[in-house]
Amino acid sequence: MAKGGDSIHIFQGLLVFGNVVIGMCGIALTAECIFFVTDPHGLYPLLEATENDDIYAAAWIGIFVGFALFALSILGIAGVIKSNRTLLLVYIILMLITYAFEMASCITAATHRDFLTPNLFLKQMLERYQKSETDNNNDKWMIKGVTETWDKLMLQNQCCGVRGPSDWQEYTSAFRIMHSDADFPWPRNCCVMDAQGSPINLDGCKLGIPGYYNSNGCYDAISGPMNTHAWGVAWFGFAILCWTFCVLLGTMFYWSRIEY
Amino acid sequence: MLSPWVVLAFCCLGQLCADQSVKPHLAAPHLATNNPTLTTVALEKPFCIFDSSLRPNKSYIIYLYAMKESASAISSLVTDNSSKPLDSTFQQTSGGQLGPYKAALFSVPNCASPPKLADVGDVNKVSDVLKQYLFRVGDDGTCLYDPNFLAVCNPPLAPDTTYRFKYMLVDSTEGIVKDQTLWSDPIKTRRVRLPLKIDTWPGRRSGDMIVITSILSVLVFLLLAGFLASVSSVVMGSEDSSAETKCMSRTIQQSEPAPQLSSE
């Protein structure tokens, strides 16, 4: 078929450019997902306890998909420049498989973000924070994770509870079983602390006097990083897949037109 | 000119008023935001309420009595026959269920120089201000189980229960009740809900999840269709080209012998 040498070269150039972008995006996706998996905010124990940690699974898939995209883009560039049918067929098939995995990662991240509601964290906090009787080792591990994470959250973000300190007053909890309401209307970490890590005035904190206890909830501090994580994986992956779709269609067309 | 008579009239009214309309009430809600809690109630101390009954050169103590509202049907007496304050404890009245119990004793609050609530912001002064301004019923969680405890025990109250409180002015030397407020309005402690009842259903699917899923599904379908189309076009194309080469080789074979025949 007469296509003219120039238009073929232009098409080849476009495909090579497309693959270069895919390679760079693959590296970026790997880096982004590694960042999310390392959990810089230390919120993973909360998700692990809610048994809803699939946004981390999506990030793990993203790491490997990103690396695969990078490797396949190099294969694609070689195949297009050499106009080699076998190379390009291998490229197309492996890209389709990678495409499927990345699609799974995006959908998982987007879907499981929806499950992370304030009520979910509230229930976990009330049921596990400083719970004293453990059923088994798994329970003990989750309790330890939840307790340490909440203590750190409340201390670093100067917040209390999920929606506010009233969470501890409105609901009974594992914490309430161990600590009497008269002494601990809410955990000590809800009090404003001095430099040594003890409340500046305990009676003020117990009575709820403004300035001596943290009156805002921690949900913003939790949902902010979670949203960034989930949307970062889902939407960046979606963008990569849209671009890869175009490049793949172009490569399939190019492959079907190569003459032996 | 009418000021001494007016003052006297107000004093008399004040004496009547102390008996008939003054009740203990909760501490200022803008100050003590966590009030009442599950097991405690913070009451404002009786400032300037008993001042009309105070005589100079005598020492007085304020007694605080608490009872469950249901106990008012059984007994709400806080004095015995000789005007002496009732000496009931938390344990004797089953936590205020059978009648009032004595929850606290403290000195008469200073009416002339009441604590300045604005000082609460100062970390150094806040303890004093709180101690002078309010009293927390139910503060002591350990006195009930401590056999060595000899003072008045103020154990935590029961959750989801209505309580009523009363202040009494008692002369410390004679031990006789000089004045008392009315029983307070019913104050209910908080009730708790079980965390099992918390609904963790996430609600409707969010928009971005629907967009991502639907668009990606369509793209994958188009990719697979494109792949099948290109494979089929390659297969058909190779059949066509092999058929063409067969036709061409036959026509070449047919055309080659003809020149030989014509040359001879």
Side-chain angles (χ1 to χ4, degrees), chain B residues 206-217:
Chain B
S206 66
D208 27 357
M209 175 257 163
I210 293 175
V211 161
I212 288 179
T213 311
S214 52
I215 293 182
L216 284 184
S217 310

Side-chain angles (χ1 to χ4, degrees), chain A residues 40-54:
Chain A
H41 296 273
L43 294 172
Y44 180 69
L46 292 186
L47 287 190
E48 194 186 20
T50 65
E51 282 156 21
N52 243 317
D53 55 356
D54 283 321

Side-chain angles (χ1 to χ4, degrees), chain B:
Chain B
M1 46 180 181
L2 33 78
S3 33
W5 299 108
V6 169
V7 169
L8 199 57
F10 270 105
C11 276
C12 295
L13 274 176
Q15 205 161 15
L16 292 170
C17 283
D19 279 350
Q20 279 165 26
S21 68
V22 178
K23 302 176 183 179
H25 51 264
L26 290 173
H30 67 88
L31 186 71
T33 54
N34 188 27
N35 194 20
T37 71
L38 284 180
T39 54
T40 64
V41 173
L43 296 172
E44 194 176 289
K45 283 192 177 175
F47 281 94
C48 309
I49 291 176
F50 297 124
D51 277 5
S52 46
S53 317
L54 294 177
R55 303 280 167 262
N57 301 334
K58 283 202 170 181
S59 59
Y60 295 91
I61 305 183
I62 303 239
Y63 281 34
L64 169 61
Y65 281 85
M67 74 169 177
K68 291 191 185 175
E69 196 183 23
S70 50
S72 53
I74 303 171
S75 153
S76 62
L77 290 174
V78 286
T79 54
D80 55 15
N81 295 339
S82 54
S83 256
K84 287 222 164 99
L86 200 63
D87 199 20
S88 52
T89 65
F90 183 89
Q91 293 95 318
Q92 284 168 359
T93 59
S94 300
Q97 204 160 355
L98 307 171
Y101 69 94
K102 193 166 41 173
L105 273 74
F106 45 83
S107 52
V108 180
N110 193 338
C111 180
S113 60
K116 290 193 277 277
L117 291 185
D119 278 348
V120 153
D122 185 347
V123 174
N124 302 323
K125 296 185 192 161
V126 65
S127 295
D128 289 329
V129 168
L130 288 180
K131 205 161 177 307
Q132 290 169 24
Y133 172 67
L134 53 78
F135 179 78
R136 199 165 177 240
V137 184
D139 206 15
D140 194 343
T142 53
C143 64
L144 210 53
Y145 308 107
D146 183 2
N148 293 326
F149 191 83
L150 297 172
V152 175
C153 194
N154 178 21
L157 308 171
D160 198 23
T161 318
T162 324
Y163 284 86
R164 304 186 79 155
F165 304 94
K166 180 191 266 266
Y167 285 119
M168 277 191 348
L169 183 73
V170 175
D171 185 324
S172 44
T173 35
E174 298 164 30
I176 293 181
V177 174
K178 291 294 180 198
D179 202 354
Q180 53 182 293
T181 64
L182 297 174
W183 283 105
S184 69
D185 291 330
I187 295 174
K188 191 160 185 185
T189 48
R190 274 195 192 245
R191 65 178 279 230
V192 274
R193 292 184 270 170
L194 286 175
L196 292 173
K197 300 260 176 76
I198 297 175
D199 182 16
T200 55
W201 185 60
R204 284 178 46 219
R205 291 276 171 233
S206 66
D208 27 357
M209 175 257 163
I210 293 175
V211 161
I212 288 179
T213 311
S214 52
I215 293 182
L216 284 184
S217 310
V218 165
L219 291 184
V220 158
F221 171 71
L222 289 175
L223 268 183
L224 288 176
F227 183 59
L228 286 175
S230 58
V231 165
S232 64
S233 86
V234 161
V235 165
M236 284 199 318
S238 66
E239 282 176 7
D240 277 348
S241 65
S242 63
E244 267 181 35
T245 47
K246 278 190 208 153
C247 281
M248 277 176 61
S249 61
R250 260 191 252 123
T251 48
I252 290 171
Q253 282 173 5
Q254 282 171 6
S255 61
E256 275 184 23
Q260 284 178 3
L261 281 169
S262 61
S263 67
E264 284 183 11

Side-chain angles (χ1 to χ4, degrees), chain A residues 85 89 92-93 96 99-100 102-104 106-107 110-111 114-117 119-123 126-127 166 168-173 176 180-183 185-186 200-201 203-210 212-213 231 234-235 237-238 241-242 244-246 248-249 252-253 255-257, chain B residues 30-40 42 119-124 126-127 130 134 136 138-142 156 190-206 208-209 211-213 215-220 222-224 226-231 233-234:
Chain A
R85 263 216 163 137
L89 182 63
I92 289 172
I93 292 177
L96 283 176
Y99 199 95
E102 179 57 21
M103 184 173 135
C106 290
I107 294 180
T111 310
D114 288 347
F115 285 108
L116 304 179
T117 53
N119 273 355
L120 183 70
F121 293 111
L122 179 64
K123 193 164 178 188
L126 294 171
E127 286 180 354
S166 54
W168 297 105
Q169 287 284 306
E170 277 177 43
Y171 293 94
T172 182
S173 54
R176 179 62 58 230
S180 73
D181 169 69
D183 266 336
W186 33 63
I200 51 177
N201 186 282
D203 288 322
C205 181
K206 288 186 202 173
L207 284 167
I209 299 181
Y212 293 90
Y213 76 116
W231 292 339
W235 285 108
F238 179 73
L241 288 183
C242 287
T244 311
F245 169 75
C246 301
L248 264 182
L249 273 186
M252 284 180 203
F253 178 71
W255 176 74
S256 68
R257 289 287 173 266
Chain B
H30 67 88
L31 186 71
T33 54
N34 188 27
N35 194 20
T37 71
L38 284 180
T39 54
T40 64
D119 278 348
V120 153
D122 185 347
V123 174
N124 302 323
V126 65
S127 295
L130 288 180
L134 53 78
R136 199 165 177 240
D139 206 15
D140 194 343
T142 53
R190 274 195 192 245
R191 65 178 279 230
V192 274
R193 292 184 270 170
L194 286 175
L196 292 173
K197 300 260 176 76
I198 297 175
D199 182 16
T200 55
W201 185 60
R204 284 178 46 219
R205 291 276 171 233
S206 66
D208 27 357
M209 175 257 163
V211 161
I212 288 179
T213 311
I215 293 182
L216 284 184
S217 310
V218 165
L219 291 184
V220 158
L222 289 175
L223 268 183
L224 288 176
F227 183 59
L228 286 175
S230 58
V231 165
S233 86
V234 161

